[in-house]
Structures are given as C-alpha cells and as structure tokens.
Amino acid sequence: MTLCLLCDEHDAMGGMLCPGCTKATVVRLECLPDLYAGLLPFLTPSTAVSQGRSGKGGPAPLPVVEGVLDLRGPGGMVGVAEDWLSSVRDARQMRQPVPAGSVEARLKAAAAGLIVNMPWIAVSWSEAGTFAGEIRDLTNSVRSIIAPEPALDRGRRIGHCPAMDPAGVLCGAVLWLRPGEKAVCCEWCTTRYPPYVWGQLKAWMGEDEKARDAA
C-alpha cells in the first residue's frame, strides 16, 4: 500500500494522493476565488467605530487590516496559487503563462490551471503532498478570518486547584466545570474532583485563599 502524501493514512493506490485528499484539494482550489472575495469586508475595521479627525478637520482614513491586505495582495493568495502552477508547469515541461488582469482574475486563472492538472498531480508529482498541504492551510487561514469558530464555552469557574505534588507544591490552576461534565478536572495537574468531594474541595480552596491573603 502506498500512503497518501497529505493525510499519511489512506491508500494512494500507487500514486501520491488518496482519492479523498485529491477531491478535497480540488474543492479547496475551487473555493479560492470566493474566499478571496469574502475577505473584502474584513479589509478595514468596522466603520461603527469612531474614525477620529484628520489634520484638515475631515474624517481620518480608516486603517487597513494588514493581514487581510497581504492575503488579497499580489504576494498573498494569488502568489501561492501562481507559484504552484508555475512549479507544476515547469515539472511537466509546459510553457509558462504570463499573469494578466486583476489580482482576482489571476487567482481564478491560477486555481483553474491547478485543477486541470490535478489528475497528474495526484498520481505522479512528488511535491503533491506539500502542494495540497499549503492549499489546505491557506484556505483554513482565510476561513478563520471570514467565519471563525465560536469560542469554547469553558463553563463555570470554580476556583483554584488545591492539589499538591509530592514535593508539597500547590497546583493553583483555575478549575472549570464544563457544560455537561459531572466532575471538575484540573487542566494542569489532571486531578479530578467528583461531586462527592466538592464540599471538601470548597474547604481546601478556602484555606488556600486565606493563606494567600495572609502572605
């Protein structure tokens, strides 16, 4: 069995990428133009925030979010896609195209060129894993800006962990009771406090708090 160069788990069937990673890479390439367009509203901070005043008394220009500007600029998303297309065409001894048009048009052309070459990339190109990994990371980076995942609900704050290591050093990490969990578990020292010890846990935390206040 030949393992896929991207996931390193599934059979690439004698090629470089498994069918699942090949399909996923094609979908990511197809999404690049839409992701590029989706970054536009994030190029400047919210206009709901006061813009201040310029030296001439008028509204000061809004600052630009540099990370988004970099992704939408010539060296960003389009640069990644065009560089990989150039590498593919060089490996296949094909004539190099001359980029033309707007950055958005160039990105569409580069993504389309890579999609056309995906059958060869998935089967024959030794750089297929590195290429597919960079396209995956690029799309994930853009999606994290456009649609970030909601913050993890850490639950209810309980207090500071009163556990001590064999040397008598207090843990002191913050304890949380996460939604749906029945026991409090310290993320630092991994000590678990089931409900039947919560009374004692409260007493221990109270003693530690008094000791800190007295220090």
Side-chain angles (χ1 to χ4, degrees):
M1 184 175 74
T2 305
L3 290 178
C4 172
L5 293 179
L6 180 61
C7 68
D8 198 30
E9 295 179 359
H10 300 114
D11 189 2
M13 297 182 292
M16 303 296 169
L17 299 176
C18 68
C21 287
T22 299
K23 182 177 181 181
T25 302
V26 170
V27 171
R28 292 177 183 123
L29 289 169
E30 291 173 340
C31 290
L32 285 180
D34 289 337
L35 291 173
Y36 176 88
L39 284 172
L40 182 59
F42 298 88
L43 191 57
T44 56
S46 172
T47 55
V49 180
S50 175
Q51 300 178 24
R53 298 183 67 83
S54 69
K56 296 182 179 179
L62 284 171
V64 174
V65 180
E66 292 186 2
V68 177
L69 180 64
D70 290 342
L71 285 168
R72 285 181 54 90
M77 296 175 69
V78 67
V80 172
E82 287 182 342
D83 285 349
W84 278 116
L85 180 59
S86 176
S87 296
V88 168
R89 296 181 72 89
D90 183 62
R92 304 193 72 179
Q93 299 182 343
M94 301 169 68
R95 183 174 59 87
Q96 294 289 351
V98 178
S102 65
V103 172
E104 187 172 11
R106 287 167 51 189
L107 178 60
K108 289 180 180 179
L114 288 167
I115 291 170
V116 168
N117 283 281
M118 274 304 299
W120 175 82
I121 291 172
V123 172
S124 304
W125 200 27
S126 61
E127 296 295 319
T130 305
F131 155 71
E134 187 164 348
I135 296 300
R136 177 192 59 196
D137 294 344
L138 176 62
T139 56
N140 288 343
S141 294
V142 177
R143 285 196 178 101
S144 71
I145 297 172
I146 296 174
E149 294 183 2
L152 179 65
D153 183 1
R154 303 196 69 177
R156 182 162 60 92
R157 188 180 187 277
I158 303 299
H160 295 275
C161 179
M164 291 189 178
D165 67 12
V169 177
L170 180 69
C171 173
V174 177
L175 295 174
W176 300 86
L177 180 62
R178 296 187 181 280
E181 293 187 354
K182 295 182 179 180
V184 176
C185 183
C186 179
E187 297 178 357
W188 181 255
C189 71
T190 70
T191 301
R192 290 179 61 83
Y193 302 95
Y196 65 83
V197 301
W198 285 358
Q200 183 63 61
L201 173 62
K202 184 177 181 180
W204 285 332
M205 290 190 298
E207 292 172 1
D208 293 337
E209 186 175 353
K210 289 180 181 179
R212 284 194 296 268
D213 291 342

